[in-house]
Amino acid sequence: MHDSGDGHTHHHDGHEHAHGHAQDHTHDGGERWKHDGVRVIPGDRLDSNTAQTPGMFRQAAVNAARVGAQKIWAGTVAIEPDAKTGVHHHGALESVIYVVSGRARMRWGERLEYVAEAGPGDFIFVPPFVPHQEINASTDEPLHCVLVRSDNEAVVVNLPDVAAAERPESVYWVDPIHRRP
């Protein structure tokens, strides 16, 4: 036996030994994770009792009330064909939208003067306080997305008085690592 310098004792008798972590997961404490461990939230049991914006249907899967989440909120959103949401932002929260099916058109800015589209498999990042509007760009297919936010409450600030620009400017994102000088 010798001390390897990393605080763990290692045996050289041909047997592998745990590095001091086994005590944390002993059988007598095994029940601890039964109801406070991994949770599976069935897709047909989401909670629509969450902040809503006209034109879209949000359902919560993971939040403080449902699973005790401390730092994230996750759920789904559906937008009917050829429909658009009211203009809103999510306060200090960061949001990630993953497009499952359909075609999303995002408008954003003080007058919704910018626009970009996303399809299945695409991720959309919405920084804090950015006024935005989700639009279903398809006239015949619903838009289904997964939402994740950076806090456990669904902060939604609806902005009914935004005067939208008539011709938004298309913005194509290039990550800073691949941007040309």
Side-chain angles (χ1 to χ4, degrees):
M1 218 181 339
H2 79 283
D3 184 354
S4 62
D6 62 0
H8 298 103
T9 303
H10 298 272
H11 297 267
H12 292 286
D13 57 5
H15 297 91
E16 291 187 31
H17 295 275
H19 291 254
H21 303 292
Q23 300 88 334
D24 300 340
H25 306 290
T26 56
H27 292 292
D28 49 315
E31 286 290 307
R32 165 181 172 200
W33 298 119
K34 183 173 183 178
H35 297 291
D36 290 328
V38 172
R39 321 281 170 81
V40 173
I41 297 93
D44 62 356
R45 295 206 196 135
L46 304 187
D47 184 6
S48 59
N49 184 21
T50 186
Q52 299 291 344
T53 295
M56 69 192 329
F57 179 54
R58 288 190 190 100
Q59 295 186 95
V62 173
N63 60 18
R66 300 198 86 209
V67 299
Q70 299 296 303
K71 298 178 181 175
I72 58 172
W73 182 100
T76 61
V77 64
I79 301 176
E80 292 303 312
D82 211 19
K84 62 185 179 184
T85 72
V87 181
H88 59 284
H89 69 74
H90 301 288
L93 306 188
E94 294 179 327
S95 297
V96 171
I97 303 168
Y98 175 77
V99 181
V100 175
S101 64
R103 187 97 196 136
R105 180 177 298 133
M106 296 292 291
R107 287 189 63 176
W108 72 93
E110 295 300 322
R111 294 176 48 248
L112 303 180
E113 62 268 37
Y114 306 110
V115 65
E117 289 199 9
D122 292 342
F123 287 84
I124 301 164
F125 173 66
V126 183
F129 300 105
V130 174
H132 62 282
Q133 174 184 58
E134 287 97 343
I135 300 165
N136 185 338
S138 169
T139 56
D140 56 3
E141 185 184 359
L143 171 62
H144 291 282
C145 303
V146 172
L147 299 174
V148 179
R149 297 215 187 92
S150 61
D151 198 357
N152 61 9
E153 296 300 330
V155 175
V156 175
V157 180
N158 291 313
L159 305 169
D161 299 326
V162 172
E166 286 195 30
R167 295 186 182 201
E169 175 186 346
S170 291
V171 178
Y172 301 96
W173 180 79
V174 180
D175 71 271
I177 297 165
H178 297 97
R179 213 170 261 161
R180 293 177 201 207

